[in-house]
Amino acid sequence: MSWKSKGLEPNSKSAVTKKWTLLLCIGCFCAGMLFSDGMWTVPEAEDRAVSRETGVNDGRLKLISEGCDPISKDVKRESKDIIGEVSKTHHAIQTLDKTISNLEMELAAARAMQESIINGSPISDDLKFPESRGKRKYLMVVGINTAFSSRKRRDSVRASWMPQGEERKKLEEEKGIIMRFVIGHSATSGGILDKAIQAEDRRHGDILRLEHVEGYLELSAKTKAYFATAVALWDADYYVKVDDDVHVNIATLGATLARHRSKPRVYIGCMKSGPVLAQKGVRYHEPEYWKFGDEGNKYFRHATGQLYAISKDLASYISINQHVLHKYANEDVSLGSWFIGLDVEHIDDRRLCCGTADCEWKAQAGNICVASFDWTCSGICKSVERMKEVHWRCGEGKNALWNAAF
């Protein structure tokens, strides 16, 4: 029997065809879904990223256009903070620098004492108790440069323009003026010359001993030692050096210096610029003449050595740097060279170098001289015999000092 005769063949083919058609449609649908997802997923993500980036940029442009850029604000705030911190740091550095300067001066004084003890050199009573002097402020310290052979000169000064005994102590307490003869020690420490000076100091109490070996060719070193010692012992506005054959009016000197108190670094004296002497054997010969240029050149401006004054800052500078400051043959040239590269005001006051023939009529005219001497002698000629006479003719008057207000 055949399928056709039984009527079964057409129905079987129809069922098979329908099943495959259904399966094929489902497969095509799934394939289409998969293909559609693969094609559109990436562009959609890219669009979102572009949209997001565009929005951020638009926001930045809007903030910048309105002057509210957060980055700019942070930079400005940081700049202000940095400026404030720099200002605080600068102030702290200045304070620290001042403290270090004071400590260096104290250290210099301590070293001077230590060297004196180690070397067995005589120590002034002033050097033994520097802490007792530190609290008092003085107007000026006047150091009168002297030598072992100048006892008569010292006595002539004591008998004329330098107060003695209780008057000198009163001068320190009431007027703030310290006066001392300045001298070092002999090459043979503790010898007869040193003992004579010690005895003289016990009698008068007006000698400042330095850690320095006396000698004419060592005046520059003595000048350094004087300023370093004086600034360690006394806190003063000014430190003065004067020779022991010069006449000085103390009240007039004090009034002159007091006028410059507001200036931090001043160098006061009779400024000059003499020739550099290259020839050997002559007075004031300069062995290092070649440093000043060709032969016939002159020195830079500096105060004449008979009398000059420097402010505390400059005395402190010498004290701190004394081991590296160069010494020329002439002490006044040396002092001028130490200040030539500093911010120092040079004050040329001719009243600090009057002639003994001029000081009398100037005093009568009311223009009293600070200091008087003879240029031909680099001091008062025959000062031991003439000091009292010059004081009588050129002095400011006995009561001028006690009536003065500085």
Side-chain angles (χ1 to χ4, degrees), residues 154-165:
R154 292 191 291 275
D155 286 340
S156 69
V157 170
R158 291 182 179 118
S160 55
W161 56 268
M162 180 181 182
Q164 291 298 294

Side-chain angles (χ1 to χ4, degrees), residues 311-324:
S311 57
K312 181 182 178 180
D313 281 3
L314 297 183
S316 299
Y317 172 81
I318 293 173
S319 175
I320 295 169
N321 299 285
Q322 57 181 310
H323 300 296
V324 296

Side-chain angles (χ1 to χ4, degrees), residues 124-403:
S124 169
D125 290 337
D126 294 323
L127 276 172
K128 294 177 182 177
F129 305 101
E131 64 277 4
S132 64
R133 307 280 185 176
K135 296 181 179 179
R136 173 66 194 273
K137 182 73 174 182
Y138 295 92
L139 169 64
M140 62 181 176
V141 177
V142 181
I144 308 169
N145 190 39
T146 192
F148 288 112
S149 59
S150 300
R151 172 62 187 268
K152 290 183 178 180
R153 284 188 179 182
R154 292 191 291 275
D155 286 340
S156 69
V157 170
R158 291 182 179 118
S160 55
W161 56 268
M162 180 181 182
Q164 291 298 294
E166 293 301 319
E167 282 194 344
R168 183 174 57 81
K169 295 179 181 178
K170 181 181 177 182
L171 184 66
E172 296 179 6
E173 296 299 323
E174 295 185 6
K175 303 299 180 181
I177 298 175
I178 303 291
M179 300 182 68
R180 295 288 190 276
F181 288 104
V182 179
I183 192 169
H185 57 82
S186 64
T188 306
S189 183
I192 188 171
L193 295 176
D194 292 315
K195 291 179 179 178
I197 287 293
Q198 290 173 350
E200 187 178 343
D201 189 30
R202 283 194 295 269
R203 179 179 177 182
H204 297 282
D206 58 3
I207 296 178
L208 173 63
R209 303 298 302 278
L210 304 177
E211 175 50 39
H212 167 76
V213 178
E214 286 291 321
Y216 180 77
L217 297 178
E218 297 298 327
L219 289 178
S220 294
K222 184 176 182 179
T223 299
K224 285 200 294 185
Y226 161 60
F227 284 120
T229 304
V231 79
L233 293 176
W234 298 288
D235 181 12
D237 292 322
Y238 293 97
Y239 299 85
V240 182
K241 177 263 178 180
V242 58
D243 289 341
D244 61 4
D245 56 352
V246 173
H247 179 267
V248 180
N249 284 315
I250 298 299
T252 307
L253 173 61
T256 300
L257 298 182
R259 287 199 293 269
H260 303 287
R261 258 178 169 161
S262 62
K263 303 171 183 177
R265 293 172 298 278
V266 293
Y267 173 33
I268 306 174
C270 288
M271 299 296 166
K272 66 174 184 178
S273 179
V276 181
L277 301 179
Q279 184 179 353
K280 292 183 178 180
V282 300
R283 192 178 186 186
Y284 307 127
H285 165 63
E286 178 56 74
E288 297 182 87
Y289 63 90
W290 60 274
K291 289 185 177 180
F292 298 91
D294 297 331
E295 188 173 348
N297 280 1
K298 291 185 176 182
Y299 289 113
F300 41 78
R301 291 283 175 186
H302 62 280
T304 184
Q306 284 81 2
L307 186 148
Y308 49 73
I310 61 175
S311 57
K312 181 182 178 180
D313 281 3
L314 297 183
S316 299
Y317 172 81
I318 293 173
S319 175
I320 295 169
N321 299 285
Q322 57 181 310
H323 300 296
V324 296
L325 295 177
H326 186 68
K327 303 185 296 293
Y328 290 102
N330 302 302
E331 56 97 8
D332 53 353
V333 172
S334 295
L335 185 75
S337 72
W338 300 337
F339 303 149
I340 204 69
L342 304 181
D343 185 14
V344 175
E345 182 176 353
H346 290 56
I347 298 176
D348 183 18
D349 193 331
R350 310 314 290 184
R351 292 179 303 155
L352 273 67
C353 55
C354 295
T356 57
D358 303 331
C359 59
E360 184 175 7
W361 66 263
K362 287 183 178 181
Q364 292 174 354
N367 187 22
I368 298 175
C369 292
V370 173
S372 305
F373 57 90
D374 301 309
W375 284 102
T376 55
C377 300
S378 297
I380 297 176
C381 297
K382 298 181 180 179
S383 64
V384 173
E385 293 83 7
R386 295 183 58 226
M387 185 64 76
K388 284 186 178 180
E389 170 209 338
V390 174
H391 182 62
W392 180 76
R393 291 191 296 104
C394 305
E396 58 196 354
K398 185 175 182 180
N399 296 325
L401 183 56
W402 307 113
N403 294 332

Side-chain angles (χ1 to χ4, degrees), residues 55-96:
V56 171
N57 289 337
D58 290 343
R60 286 181 180 173
L61 289 172
K62 182 178 180 182
L63 288 171
I64 292 172
S65 66
E66 294 175 356
C68 299
D69 185 11
I71 298 175
S72 177
K73 283 185 176 180
D74 290 341
V75 170
K76 290 179 181 178
R77 191 180 300 111
E78 289 178 3
S79 297
K80 290 181 179 179
D81 292 342
I82 291 172
I83 292 173
E85 290 300 322
V86 169
S87 179
K88 291 179 182 178
T89 304
H90 181 67
H91 178 71
I93 290 173
Q94 286 182 326
T95 303
L96 180 61

Side-chain angles (χ1 to χ4, degrees), residues 12-29:
S12 175
K13 287 181 178 181
S14 176
V16 172
T17 303
K18 292 180 178 178
K19 289 179 180 179
W20 282 108
T21 301
L22 180 62
L23 289 174
L24 182 62
C25 290
I26 293 171
C28 290
F29 177 77

